Amino acid sequence: PQILHFTDRLDYLSANINRHGLCLCVEKAAQIEVPERAQYIRTILDEFTRISSHLLAWAAMTNDLGATTAFIYGMREREIILDIFDKTCGGRLIMNQNVIGGVMF
């Protein structure tokens, strides 16, 4: 369990994806079958994580270029995804949804 917390902090913008990768490694090694529902939830949250990361990068780039309105739009859209994370697993930046064998909730 302790190693799972380490993977969350490797990259704050893709904590969920890092944890997913570690869970997959352990599950393959231990031949643990993950329910299909959990696989879908993991994939959806991974994609939301990816989109959120890209929105932040895009917003920061546009802000550096002086496009303040585009920055605000990017952060506004990212906030919607962070709200989904908050409702799903109680975290906005570091999510602890993936566990070995499935998902937490």
Side-chain angles (χ1 to χ4, degrees), residues 2 6 9 17 27 31-32 37 40 42 49 51 57 68 71 77 79-80 86 88-89 93 103:
Q2 197 67 358
F6 173 72
R9 287 156 182 85
I17 295 171
E27 290 159 358
Q31 297 179 346
I32 296 172
R37 177 181 177 273
Y40 281 116
R42 284 178 172 183
T49 301
I51 293 167
T68 308
F71 170 77
E77 300 304 317
E79 188 69 24
I80 295 168
D86 192 23
T88 304
C89 56
L93 184 62
V103 291

Side-chain angles (χ1 to χ4, degrees), residues 16-33:
N16 193 59
I17 295 171
N18 292 332
R19 184 176 264 218
H20 188 179
L22 178 68
C23 288
L24 287 174
C25 289
V26 172
E27 290 159 358
K28 272 191 168 184
Q31 297 179 346
I32 296 172
E33 186 70 30

